[in-house]
């Protein structure tokens, strides 16, 4: 198992206080993502706990892509992963972000 | 939106089962009350330890409810997972809801947590009986991908009512466990048709272990649970002895049957071979009052 932390700056602050959301389930080839409003306005912290070790650079690429697309600010994403593929991770990130922006818990 | 109960996650089920927006979760994922054991075993945990518990409304009635997530470790009961369920049941003794409703999907004890999981399951049993003794019904819904087995199969049998879909399964030892311990001649766990006509919802309904059989949709489970809200626990020594007598009689009547189809034949069902293929409504019409 491996823990990874990614910090991004220069994000766009979220507009108003939003309820935390959770997307996905911790199961084989899947992951859960908890999105919470937290920290300085332009900061995005992503904490990953994954069953698969040694894939840090691939996680970094997927996260860079997500952050470049949405410019999340003032949020923390916490992830529990059981070997999801990059495509599944991207899909869950989109789901989680859409739910968070939509304000649905 | 897909309303299949079987396909939905625990969170999707809870949201669609209760009155819209009424669910108030206790110990939500943001509290991060998760398993201390899995991390020591170098395994990822879940922020809710695979179960959500809370209060909500069902057709306006105040209830407490729990939903197990089968995809996370087969819905297995670990120390924290079990404690959340016990806490919910004990809360019922204080807040006195109309019912406690358990959306179970579980293989039983989480073996990674061994004794802590076993203790948790025994505490759940104790708490279920305490809630029933207090006059509050405990109702189980069973229609998920992983069925309801092991110690939690016993818990389901301790409750006032069990609502199942054809897809649901209920038992003590699961098919793979029976095959592993008694051999493939005893039970072939890869024979899907055999598995479903032995532990599936239709046969559980025929034996009277499932109170109601519904189609695989969250609204159908919701409707059945609403209809069962008036259930009052019947729970005295006489009732227990009557139940034992009923089970003894059932064993005498069907104990020599090798297969569920033999039981259905003995129950006087016409064309028993056709039962597994029937849609829920057609099945209910065909079996009529001929349950064991």
């Amino acid at each position: 198992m491996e823990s990874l932390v990614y910090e991004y700056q220069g994000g766009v602050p979220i507009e108003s206080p939003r309820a935390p959301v959770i997307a996905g389930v911790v199961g084989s080839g899947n992951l859960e993502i908890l999105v919470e409003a937290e920290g300085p306005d332009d900061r995005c912290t992503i904490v990953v706990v994954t069953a698969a070790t040694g894939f840090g650079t691939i996680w970094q690429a997927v996260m860079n892509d997500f952050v470049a697309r949405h410019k999340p600010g003032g949020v923390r994403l916490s992830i529990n992963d059981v070997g999801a593929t990059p495509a599944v991770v991207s899909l869950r990130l989109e789901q989680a972000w859409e739910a968070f922006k939509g304000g649905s818990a | 939106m897909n309303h299949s109960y079987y396909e939905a996650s625990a969170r999707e089920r809870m949201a669609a089962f209760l009155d819209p927006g009424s669910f108030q979760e206790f110990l939500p994922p943001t509290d991060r009350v998760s398993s201390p054991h899995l991390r020591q075993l170098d395994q990822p945990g879940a922020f809710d330890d695979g179960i959500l518990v809370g209060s909500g409304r069902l057709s306006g009635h105040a209830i407490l409810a729990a939903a197990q997530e089968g995809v996370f470790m087969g819905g297995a009961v670990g120390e924290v997972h079990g404690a959340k369920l016990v806490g919910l049941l004990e809360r019922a003794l204080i807040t006195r809801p109309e019912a406690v409703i358990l959306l179970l999907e579980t293989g039983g004890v989480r073996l990674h947590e061994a004794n802590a999981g076993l203790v948790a399951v025994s505490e759940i049993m104790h708490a279920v009986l305490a809630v029933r003794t207090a006059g509050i019904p405990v109702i189980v819904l069973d229609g998920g991908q992983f069925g309801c087995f092991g110690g939690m199969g016993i818990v389901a049998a301790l409750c006032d009512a069990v609502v199942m879909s054809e897809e649901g399964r209920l038992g003590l030892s699961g098919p793979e466990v029976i095959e592993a311990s008694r051999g493939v001649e005893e039970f072939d766990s890869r024979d899907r048709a055999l598995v479903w006509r032995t532990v599936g919802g239709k046969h559980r309904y025929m034996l009277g272990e499932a109170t109601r059989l519904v189609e695989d949709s969250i609204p159908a489970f919701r409707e059945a649970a609403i209809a069962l809200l008036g259930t009052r626990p019947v729970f005295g020594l006489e009732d227990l002895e009557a139940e034992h007598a009923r089970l003894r009689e059932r064993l005498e009547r069907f104990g020599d049957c090798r297969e569920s189809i033999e039981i259905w034949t003995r129950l006087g069902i016409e064309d028993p071979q056709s039962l597994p293929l029937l849609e829920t409504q057609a099945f209910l019409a065909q079996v009529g009052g001929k349950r064991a």
Side-chain angles (χ1 to χ4, degrees):
Chain A
M1 202 165 71
E2 193 169 3
S3 295
L4 307 162
V5 180
Y6 303 100
E7 298 269 6
Y8 294 90
Q9 288 177 328
V12 179
I14 48 170
E15 285 146 21
S16 57
R18 288 183 187 278
V21 298
I22 192 158
V25 175
V26 185
S28 184
N30 210 332
L31 73 163
E32 68 177 353
I33 303 176
L34 178 62
V35 189
E36 299 162 286
E38 189 186 297
D41 272 355
D42 75 329
R43 193 77 59 89
C44 174
T45 305
I46 305 177
V47 181
V48 180
V49 176
T50 173
T53 57
F55 291 88
T57 49
I58 295 177
W59 278 101
Q60 176 89 65
V62 173
M63 296 306 153
N64 288 352
D65 182 54
F66 168 74
V67 169
R69 223 164 330 141
H70 296 290
K71 308 214 170 4
V75 293
R76 167 182 284 262
L77 279 71
S78 307
I79 296 174
N80 288 320
D81 167 68
V82 192
T85 62
V88 172
V89 175
S90 283
L91 176 76
R92 290 274 175 265
L93 282 167
E94 293 298 323
Q95 280 179 333
W97 190 246
E98 194 174 307
F100 184 67
K101 294 278 279 186
S104 69
Chain B
M1 179 171 169
N2 183 357
H3 280 284
S4 165
Y5 187 98
Y6 186 83
E7 299 284 344
S9 70
R11 285 185 183 277
E12 289 165 348
R13 280 176 198 153
M14 186 69 92
F17 172 73
L18 294 173
D19 296 352
S22 71
F23 185 57
Q24 296 287 322
E25 187 170 0
F26 307 141
L27 302 176
T30 46
D31 285 3
R32 293 173 167 76
V33 180
S34 52
S35 169
H37 304 281
L38 293 177
R39 186 161 278 264
Q40 287 178 340
L41 293 168
D42 213 28
Q43 293 215 16
F47 293 123
D48 58 9
D49 205 32
I51 187 169
L52 52 156
V53 297
S55 65
R57 295 203 165 261
L58 185 63
S59 191
H61 298 276
I63 63 159
L64 293 178
Q68 294 178 299
E69 177 51 65
V71 172
F72 178 63
M73 314 205 81
V77 179
E79 185 175 10
V80 168
H81 182 117
K84 286 173 78 172
L85 193 43
V86 172
L88 184 82
L89 288 159
E90 290 181 348
R91 186 183 176 93
L93 299 174
I94 301 164
T95 63
R96 299 201 60 86
E98 283 291 308
V100 181
I101 301 191
L102 308 178
L103 286 66
L104 301 185
E105 183 176 8
T106 174
V109 169
R110 189 183 296 167
L111 296 179
H112 311 68
E113 307 195 14
N115 295 353
L118 285 165
V119 170
V121 168
S122 69
E123 286 176 350
I124 293 165
M125 292 174 187
H126 189 265
V128 163
L129 296 178
V131 170
R132 293 188 62 200
T133 305
I136 300 160
V138 185
I139 299 166
V140 169
L141 310 187
D142 172 13
Q145 297 180 39
F146 291 78
C148 177
F149 289 102
M152 292 304 288
I154 304 176
V155 168
L158 290 177
C159 295
D160 291 279
V162 178
V163 180
M164 291 183 76
S165 62
E166 176 182 355
E167 288 80 359
R169 281 150 293 145
L170 177 63
L172 185 52
S173 298
E176 286 85 358
V177 176
I178 296 171
E179 184 182 319
S181 60
R182 302 296 299 273
V184 71
E185 303 82 5
E186 176 75 16
F187 201 82
D188 182 353
S189 68
R190 276 155 298 180
D191 182 343
R192 310 295 279 176
L194 172 67
V195 168
W196 256 267
R197 68 177 183 264
T198 306
V199 295
K202 282 177 174 167
H203 188 49
R204 291 305 176 199
Y205 178 76
M206 292 308 296
L207 288 179
E209 286 157 1
T211 320
R212 283 175 183 248
L213 187 76
V214 299
E215 64 176 54
D216 171 38
S217 83
I218 301 175
F221 274 96
R222 175 180 155 89
E223 213 173 287
I226 291 169
L228 287 165
L229 278 179
T231 306
R232 285 293 159 259
V234 180
F235 201 40
L237 181 59
E238 275 177 29
D239 306 300
L240 193 65
E241 284 174 345
E243 174 69 0
H244 281 185
R246 188 185 73 81
L247 291 173
R248 197 160 46 239
E249 193 253 343
R250 191 176 86 180
L251 186 63
E252 279 164 14
R253 203 169 158 203
F254 305 114
D256 61 326
C257 293
R258 296 286 304 157
E259 252 264 28
S260 51
I261 290 176
E262 289 177 35
I263 295 176
W264 304 342
T265 306
R266 210 167 281 185
L267 284 167
I269 306 291
E270 284 173 41
D271 193 12
Q273 304 280 349
S274 71
L275 288 194
L277 300 174
L278 295 177
E279 296 289 328
T280 304
Q281 291 311 320
F283 169 85
L284 292 172
Q286 175 137 347
V287 302
K290 293 173 183 163
R291 298 164 72 194

